[in-house]
Amino acid sequence: MLAFCDLTIDVRRQGRWTEAVSRVSLAVPPGRVVGLVGESGCGKTLTALAALRLHDAQVRVRAGCVRVDGANVQEMDARALQRLRGGIVAMVFQEPMTALNPVFSVRAHLFEVLRRHRGLAKDAAEEEAQALLREVGIPDAERVLASYPDALSGGMRQRVLIAMALAGRPRYLIADEPTTALDVSVQRRIVDLLAQMQRAHGLGMLLITHDFGLVAELCDEVAVIYAGEIVERAPVEAIFDDPRHPYTQALLRCRPEASAAPAPIPGQAPEPGAWPSGCRFRDRCPYAESICTARPPWVELGDGRAVRCVREQA
Amino acid sequence: MTDAPVLRLEGVHKRFVQGGWWRKREVDAVRDVSLAVWPAHTLALVGESGSGKSTLARLALRLLAPDRGRIWWGKHEVSALSARALRPLRRHVQMVFQDPYASLNPRMKIGEAIAEGLRIHEPKLSRAERRARVEAMLEEVGLAPSAYDRYPHEFSGGQRQRIGIARALILRPRVLVLDEPTSALDVSVQAQIIELLLRLQREHGMGYLFITHDLALVRWVAARAAVMFAGRIVEEAPANELFSSPRHPYTQALLDAQPASHPAARKPPRARGEEPPPASQGCAFAPRCPRAQADCRRHLPPLVEEGARRFACLHPLP
């Protein structure tokens, strides 16, 4: 299990530590796909980076922890961390170009992972690298292995990145907006590929996205995050059929659908440090009342559903 | 609908030469494209990266000159006008970019950036008049007039896009070319910006050429849509017809690629590699087309009209 337990993260802004993620709890079991859905600045990427302790000096985990199959990531030494990153939990990023080094060939990228996590060298690595590329839908593996990232299309880069993620035989995959930079038809193919890889390898997958289309395609469960806080958690069908938190409802109504014109959410999401007291969505919520100035309770509704809203309190 | 289009392209062609003396390659980015944008109407232009839609936008704005074909802004033909002759006409055709931040000078106050066009096109305005016009524009796009004295970095993505829109609208253009104006924004902000654009169109009657790769957006913003592939328009139709009964297999492929709107509508993943590149002979889409036959690889399908729609396919969908 990849588990986030009451994770609280601060970021340093102009020398001051500001809370950016508040007590996020989330569990990704092996073989399941969990979506973490939210808009930019809500803390979803910070949360993901914490799973691999990839954040920089401007970010700190102030409370809570991330556990990977029971082991606390915050307490890992350098060796354990190295094994964790790519060997147990792998990541696929939004912009494949920035995740690939332009001066190294695709072969060099894959060999690095294969050497580090699988101890493979030369011939064995070559064979495995070709097999990996074929697995991610690149038939002319030999040509692509010799290519440099900037010679590849966006879709190809993302495939290479997925191959690199699989190369360390991880148990968990974190995909951060894996398709947003791609064309629609390429997106479709990458979504299909992620679904196939996740199933074939029984990966636990944390999908970070703002796109409910992607959620509908890939997720088993969903957590919706707003202003650093999880506001709703539910099985995927329930999120679409019966969203409970006003933010989830509003976010779903922003999507253009054939049936109805979208309705924007008034205002904008507050940044860390500017969160309202109590319910952080109350400034934009059509149902807000005076009671919402107090911190809303986390209400468990059964069947894997929970909502942070006073309206759900019995 | 008023009598004449505010923007019209006829048989427009643009070829680029890529690479240096060593490996020269000619690329026809836009091939024989004709389209019209009418006042108070939106024509959506859909295509993937490399389809030529951004080149087409630059041609429509006459930031590029066409190699062949003609371009009109209202009644003015601008295909071959010099930069100097274009200048007084430019106010009629303005552009909204995907990333407004990239098009704003970080050291220039927002108000001054918006006023730039006024300084060029209405030089007789006094400072105070100019400021009043900009402040009114800021309010119109949902920003406080006090934004005038602030700098680009002080604004969020959605606010910057409002600034980009204010900048495009300050000269009261008749046509707005919008290049993926919301694709860099969050969903909730995207909906705000689209609503703003639709309201401004209702109030001022501008024609929009709305470039996007997001089909879900097309349905919402546009009455008509043109689908571009490998530099050509392969299908154009009223948006609802395009979605309900596409004739070109590429349009169908785009629709099939849309993500499900509900987990129950999930399609099983198919094992597929990358798309083959467009063909250089015959129908460019043939290598990807499930309906392609031998003649598709030999003959370029002509763009045929059928009622209110056009499509270029030898074996169209029924």
Side-chain angles (χ1 to χ4, degrees):
Chain A
M1 189 100 94
L2 168 63
F4 300 80
C5 323
D6 272 328
L7 191 70
T8 298
I9 301 174
D10 292 345
V11 292
R12 187 147 58 190
R13 292 241 172 112
Q14 282 132 14
R16 291 227 321 266
W17 288 106
T18 312
E19 190 169 307
V21 171
S22 307
R23 286 188 261 173
V24 160
S25 293
L26 195 66
V28 184
R32 302 278 286 174
V33 184
V34 178
L36 184 58
V37 182
E39 299 181 85
S40 48
C42 66
K44 56 190 196 298
T45 296
L46 278 177
T47 303
L49 292 177
L52 291 171
R53 246 167 81 189
L54 278 173
H55 40 76
D56 58 29
Q58 302 303 312
V59 176
R60 70 173 184 200
V61 170
R62 181 156 48 86
C65 64
V66 182
R67 286 181 185 278
V68 179
D69 295 334
N72 187 336
V73 172
Q74 262 61 46
E75 289 166 1
M76 284 184 182
D77 58 22
R79 241 188 113 99
L81 262 185
Q82 200 183 67
R83 203 177 111 66
L84 173 79
R85 294 172 182 160
I88 301 171
V89 182
M91 227 173 149
V92 175
F93 294 92
Q94 172 175 2
E95 199 2 275
M97 197 55 207
T98 53
L100 294 167
N101 190 330
V103 303
F104 290 114
S105 66
V106 170
R107 177 178 279 112
H109 279 92
L110 278 165
F111 273 32
E112 162 70 14
V113 186
L114 290 170
R115 183 187 57 77
R116 179 181 302 210
H117 291 296
R118 309 262 300 277
L120 300 182
K122 284 256 172 105
D123 294 355
E126 178 70 28
E127 207 171 293
E128 181 66 12
Q130 290 194 17
L132 279 164
L133 287 189
R134 279 194 292 272
E135 191 182 356
V136 299
I138 301 178
D140 50 347
E142 268 176 73
R143 184 184 65 81
V144 173
L145 278 175
S147 310
Y148 287 79
D150 67 351
L152 302 175
S153 68
M156 286 291 265
R157 285 177 200 151
Q158 202 56 288
R159 283 174 196 270
V160 167
L161 223 61
I162 293 170
M164 279 169 66
L166 296 174
R169 294 204 173 138
R171 287 197 289 270
Y172 303 95
L173 186 66
I174 299 178
D176 190 354
E177 304 275 17
T179 63
T180 33
L182 304 171
D183 272 319
V184 193
S185 49
V186 184
Q187 270 182 22
R188 170 89 247 160
R189 283 159 185 260
I190 297 298
V191 166
D192 283 0
L193 177 64
L194 281 171
Q196 285 166 342
M197 295 299 110
Q198 183 268 332
R199 272 175 228 172
H201 299 274
L203 297 169
M205 183 157 120
L206 178 64
L207 176 72
I208 311 246
T209 186
H210 68 275
D211 180 354
F212 272 110
L214 211 55
V215 171
E217 289 287 349
L218 287 171
C219 293
D220 300 310
E221 291 158 47
V222 185
V224 179
I225 182 167
Y226 182 78
E229 201 167 51
I230 289 183
V231 294
E232 178 159 10
R233 191 188 65 214
V236 69
E237 294 85 4
I239 277 285
F240 285 90
D241 292 338
D242 181 25
R244 294 295 183 86
H245 196 281
Y247 176 62
T248 315
Q249 295 169 359
L251 206 52
L252 280 161
R253 277 198 304 268
C254 287
R255 302 194 319 145
E257 290 280 344
S259 49
I265 309 176
Q268 61 189 75
E271 287 186 29
W275 295 332
S277 60
C279 173
R280 294 173 185 173
F281 187 59
R282 68 183 160 87
D283 293 350
R284 304 171 76 190
C285 179
Y287 310 106
E289 298 173 52
S290 55
I291 191 176
C292 300
T293 53
R295 182 175 160 85
W298 181 245
V299 187
E300 297 275 355
L301 302 168
D303 298 326
R305 307 205 56 174
V307 186
R308 188 180 301 284
C309 182
V310 285
R311 301 200 315 146
E312 294 295 341
Q313 216 168 8
Chain B
M1 196 181 281
T2 339
D3 40 344
V6 281
L7 170 71
R8 190 150 70 90
L9 275 66
E10 209 179 271
V12 167
H13 201 99
K14 184 71 193 175
R15 167 175 289 188
F16 290 118
V17 179
Q18 287 188 337
W21 56 274
W22 170 237
R23 242 186 247 166
K24 218 185 243 178
R25 203 162 63 99
E26 286 173 336
V27 179
D28 292 301
V30 169
R31 308 174 200 213
D32 199 23
V33 166
S34 301
L35 57 80
V37 177
W38 297 80
H41 279 69
T42 301
L43 175 66
L45 188 62
V46 184
E48 51 199 74
S49 46
S51 64
K53 57 192 201 301
S54 292
T55 304
L56 189 63
R58 290 166 66 201
L59 287 163
L61 289 156
R62 265 309 319 273
L63 300 173
L64 284 176
D67 298 324
R68 284 205 304 275
R70 303 167 77 184
I71 300 168
W72 287 267
W73 292 347
K75 60 185 191 309
H76 302 282
E77 188 184 342
V78 296
S79 339
L81 290 188
S82 67
R84 169 183 287 218
L86 278 170
R87 211 169 185 194
L89 300 174
R90 285 211 177 277
R91 60 177 311 165
H92 300 309
V93 184
Q94 294 285 317
M95 170 107 181
V96 175
F97 298 92
Q98 174 177 0
D99 177 9
Y101 196 54
S103 63
L104 289 168
N105 180 342
R107 277 175 296 196
M108 195 187 257
K109 286 179 183 171
I110 287 307
E112 284 163 9
I114 297 170
E116 262 190 318
L118 283 179
R119 259 198 299 276
I120 295 163
H121 291 279
E122 296 182 33
K124 292 201 188 97
L125 288 181
S126 73
R127 255 188 120 90
E129 283 170 324
R130 214 159 50 216
R131 185 167 179 122
R133 281 274 291 274
V134 172
E135 286 182 347
M137 193 71 240
L138 283 168
E139 282 201 283
E140 206 177 331
V141 299
L143 293 168
S146 61
Y148 190 103
D149 293 305
R150 292 164 66 195
Y151 291 90
H153 73 266
E154 298 175 58
F155 296 89
S156 68
Q159 288 171 323
R160 281 178 201 150
Q161 197 49 288
R162 288 174 194 271
I163 293 164
I165 292 167
R167 207 180 177 196
L169 287 188
I170 191 78
L171 294 166
R172 295 280 171 236
R174 293 201 284 263
V175 193
L176 222 49
V177 176
L178 304 124
D179 192 1
E180 305 266 10
T182 61
S183 63
L185 303 173
D186 274 318
V187 261
S188 71
V189 183
Q190 170 177 318
Q192 290 176 7
I193 296 295
I194 296 293
E195 279 216 332
L196 171 67
L197 287 168
L198 294 177
R199 174 171 65 77
L200 292 167
Q201 186 178 48
R202 277 196 306 274
E203 289 170 3
H204 302 293
M206 289 161 290
Y208 287 170
L209 179 61
F210 196 107
I211 299 175
T212 181
H213 68 274
D214 184 351
L215 288 186
L217 214 55
V218 172
R219 233 191 278 252
W220 182 17
V221 300
R224 282 185 78 80
V227 179
M228 233 177 140
F229 185 80
R232 285 180 204 280
I233 289 183
V234 295
E235 180 160 15
E236 188 194 329
N240 53 357
E241 289 180 34
L242 194 79
F243 286 104
S244 60
S245 58
R247 302 299 302 274
H248 199 285
Y250 177 59
T251 313
Q252 182 66 57
L254 281 179
L255 289 168
D256 290 343
Q258 293 296 300
S261 55
H262 190 282
R266 240 177 240 188
K267 289 167 224 157
R270 285 184 275 173
R272 292 180 304 192
E274 288 292 284
E275 308 275 13
S280 49
Q281 263 220 327
C283 174
F285 186 63
R288 283 163 62 173
C289 184
R291 300 174 69 84
Q293 296 177 25
D295 52 349
C296 301
R297 300 180 211 281
R298 286 196 305 270
H299 305 295
L300 180 69
L303 196 60
V304 293
E305 277 187 45
E306 206 182 271
R309 51 199 301 179
R310 309 187 281 165
F311 51 87
C313 181
L314 297 176
H315 308 285
L317 292 150

